[in-house]
Amino acid sequence: MSLSRRIRVLAVAVLAAVTGFPATAAATGTTLTWGPCAGVPEPTQGLQCTSMSVPLDYARPTGQQITLAFSRLPAADPAKRRGVLLLNPGSQGDSQLSLPLQLIALGLPQSVRDTYDLVAFDPRGAGNSTRVTCDLPVTFMIPPAYAVTNADVDKQAGVARQNAQGCAAAPSAPLLPHITVRNVARDLDGIRAALGERKVSFLGYSFGAFLGATYATMYPWRTDRFVLDSSTGPNGLDYTWSRRFAPGLEKHFPDFAAWAASQNATYGLGDTPEAVKAKYFELAAKLDQTPIETVDGATFRWINEALTQSDATFPLLAQVYQQAADGTITRPPLPPGFDFSGLLSIVCNMDGWPTDVEVYRRAVDHDRAAYPLLGAAAANVWACAFWPARKTEPQVRIGDYGPSNILMVQNLRDNGTDYPGGVEMRRALGDRARLVSVDQGGHRAYLFGTNACANATVARYLADGVRPAADTACPA
């Protein structure tokens, strides 16, 4: 695989207590027709795909319907089958129906494979489900562009306003008010009902962890074994979450700097961590002044953030630094059909996004100084400041009512969902949850990291129901 493609794939892989409505009535009694998964490799492993209709607006269950696409990999040992394990990888811009195969490739244990049908789905608004589109430019970034000056904040505000206007002008605009986490959780319960399951288990990463917490709050007695990996705070993907990209990177970047310094003979980025960090600032400032084709300083910082979300991509990042230094760096292209519009819609329908650009200016000023690696990007303006959709109902408030059956796992140096957010989510879930704090860096712990303790703890809970009796830690 070429360097640019590997960077593209890895960077992309990188973002009321009750429902108030009946559980997905349209799904009850639904007959599902399973077939091959279009475009998914290795079909001989048995992955099946299907779709079903659910209400766009659950307040009007017989009104307009949308399509949900999902996949299933049947349990490897029917005699040991416990039920269904719903999967969500986090923010996505394309279909994730092959996720069961991806997790197996990452080392999902046979004990988990034997225990569950693995079920992945594309949330409403994204992938092979009914999609929204905002005609986002190829330069769209999460988090937004780095603001060197206040003028750059105003520039980004103009870009963000255009993003929001693109959502409002698109044919899918009528869908926007209904692309919410609450409705995605209702959709999940519809999948549960359509599969004929009384309860479901769940493994969700990042946004998927917040979705799992939302489902567990809305439908506490329909939850079996729930794993929330790399949680946001209990308010979800809000402005606080965005700003936390910056302190998260400050914690994890030293891991890369130490690694790169140990590899100085190969990459020439500096023989000490301090020299590697200085090289980062040198290259970013150089590209701020003299961009190389499609790569400016903001894009370089974005690539740096994306490729520090896993220690496994440190060699790729070191090559990016070399390319920035010798003038050969290029912006990684997006895969065909890739679109962050669905994710943007879910994020901007959450609470906690300021609408006054001056709030962003002040935050950028503060975070640029406090977190120089990324602060002036993570605090910059999102389209959410100008979001055209009116909220139709309140966001779910994560709570602690229900069975104690949630296992949380959180890396200490996570630059996608900073560790304090996980602690806050743990507090909101109360005695329902146990938190495993993992001494490793990067975003997503289970299977995406190499910590044997974390991987074994999650697998043991999913397969055997054995969960730590109290919050615990996994050493490096």
Side-chain angles (χ1 to χ4, degrees):
M1 184 183 293
S2 69
L3 175 61
S4 64
R5 176 169 171 74
R6 292 167 73 192
I7 292 173
R8 178 183 75 219
V9 170
L10 289 162
V12 162
V14 164
L15 146 146
V18 295
T19 159
F21 300 115
T24 320
T28 304
T30 297
T31 299
L32 300 175
T33 301
W34 297 94
C37 299
V40 175
E42 304 179 71
T44 56
Q45 291 195 30
L47 190 70
Q48 308 164 326
C49 283
T50 191
S51 63
M52 70 180 190
S53 297
V54 297
L56 171 65
D57 182 353
Y58 279 90
R60 298 174 176 81
T62 60
Q64 181 179 350
Q65 304 290 296
I66 60 173
T67 298
L68 287 184
F70 53 105
S71 64
R72 176 181 67 181
L73 188 65
D77 188 343
K80 297 179 180 179
R81 181 186 183 276
R82 179 179 179 84
V84 166
L85 180 65
L86 293 173
L87 307 170
N88 186 276
S91 58
Q92 63 182 81
D94 53 4
S95 178
Q96 293 293 312
L97 298 186
S98 64
L99 182 59
L101 303 183
Q102 295 170 16
L103 294 181
I104 290 172
L106 287 171
L108 186 74
Q110 189 64 38
S111 59
V112 179
R113 281 281 294 110
D114 290 344
T115 306
Y116 298 101
D117 295 348
L118 304 179
V119 175
F121 65 98
D122 288 336
R124 57 172 58 204
N128 290 342
S129 295
T130 297
R131 301 183 70 160
V132 298
T133 180
C134 297
D135 194 25
L136 296 174
V138 295
T139 54
F140 182 82
M141 285 184 264
I142 295 177
Y146 188 94
V148 177
T149 67
N150 275 345
D152 291 329
V153 178
D154 294 333
K155 179 181 178 181
Q156 174 59 27
V159 171
R161 188 186 297 274
Q162 289 177 350
N163 294 158
Q165 290 172 343
C167 295
S172 58
L175 306 180
L176 293 180
H178 307 288
I179 309 298
T180 67
V181 181
R182 184 188 282 268
N183 278 335
V184 175
R186 290 174 176 137
D187 294 341
L188 277 190
D189 203 55
I191 293 174
R192 176 202 60 78
L195 293 173
E197 301 290 333
R198 187 173 63 88
K199 292 183 178 182
V200 288
S201 294
F202 184 85
L203 169 60
Y205 300 88
S206 194
F207 161 74
F210 180 63
L211 171 61
T214 300
Y215 183 93
T217 299
M218 293 173 66
Y219 305 103
W221 304 108
R222 295 173 187 166
T223 61
D224 189 13
R225 298 170 183 170
F226 265 50
V227 176
L228 312 183
D229 188 314
S230 307
S231 293
T232 67
N235 294 322
L237 282 70
D238 60 359
Y239 188 44
T240 297
W241 158 75
S242 179
R243 290 181 70 179
R244 281 176 169 167
F245 274 96
L249 183 59
E250 295 287 342
K251 295 169 189 173
H252 191 209
F253 187 85
D255 291 357
F256 168 71
W259 175 88
S262 73
Q263 303 293 316
N264 186 51
T266 301
Y267 299 105
L269 304 182
D271 58 5
T272 66
E274 294 76 17
V276 174
K277 189 172 185 179
K279 175 63 70 173
Y280 168 80
F281 288 117
E282 173 194 327
L283 294 171
K286 175 184 175 182
L287 290 166
D288 284 335
Q289 297 297 319
T290 311
I292 300 173
E293 294 185 1
T294 59
V295 179
D296 56 8
T299 304
F300 173 73
R301 293 178 178 93
W302 167 69
I303 296 172
N304 180 81
E305 197 283 327
L307 293 183
T308 50
Q309 290 206 1
S310 170
D311 290 7
T313 55
F314 284 175
L316 291 178
L317 182 56
Q319 292 176 55
V320 167
Y321 279 45
Q322 290 179 315
Q323 293 169 351
D326 65 21
T328 61
I329 188 172
T330 59
R331 184 185 181 95
L334 294 173
F338 190 91
D339 189 354
F340 265 138
S341 297
L343 173 65
L344 184 64
S345 301
I346 286 179
V347 169
C348 291
N349 278 327
M350 294 193 192
D351 298 334
W353 287 99
T355 58
D356 183 352
V357 175
E358 182 57 31
V359 173
Y360 294 92
R361 289 194 194 97
R362 291 195 298 267
V364 166
D365 275 344
H366 176 273
D367 290 4
R368 183 189 296 114
Y371 312 112
L373 290 167
L374 194 69
N380 212 347
V381 189
W382 284 62
C384 308
F386 312 103
W387 196 240
R390 182 174 299 176
K391 287 183 172 61
T392 59
E393 55 186 330
Q395 185 170 315
V396 172
R397 182 175 180 178
I398 305 301
D400 60 0
Y401 174 73
S404 184
N405 60 355
I406 297 173
L407 178 65
M408 298 178 59
V409 58
Q410 196 93 10
N411 289 338
L412 295 178
R413 300 181 301 284
D414 182 339
N415 52 306
T417 48
D418 194 18
Y419 181 77
V423 174
E424 293 168 6
M425 179 66 85
R426 166 69 178 87
R427 189 179 303 123
L429 289 167
D431 195 51
R432 294 198 67 186
R434 301 290 182 268
L435 173 62
V436 180
S437 301
V438 186
D439 188 359
Q440 70 179 353
H443 187 45
R444 299 186 288 187
Y446 180 56
L447 300 178
F448 288 87
T450 59
N451 188 285
C453 166
N455 289 339
T457 300
V458 173
R460 188 161 52 246
Y461 180 54
L462 288 175
D464 302 321
V466 178
R467 190 184 65 160
D471 291 352
T472 188
C474 281

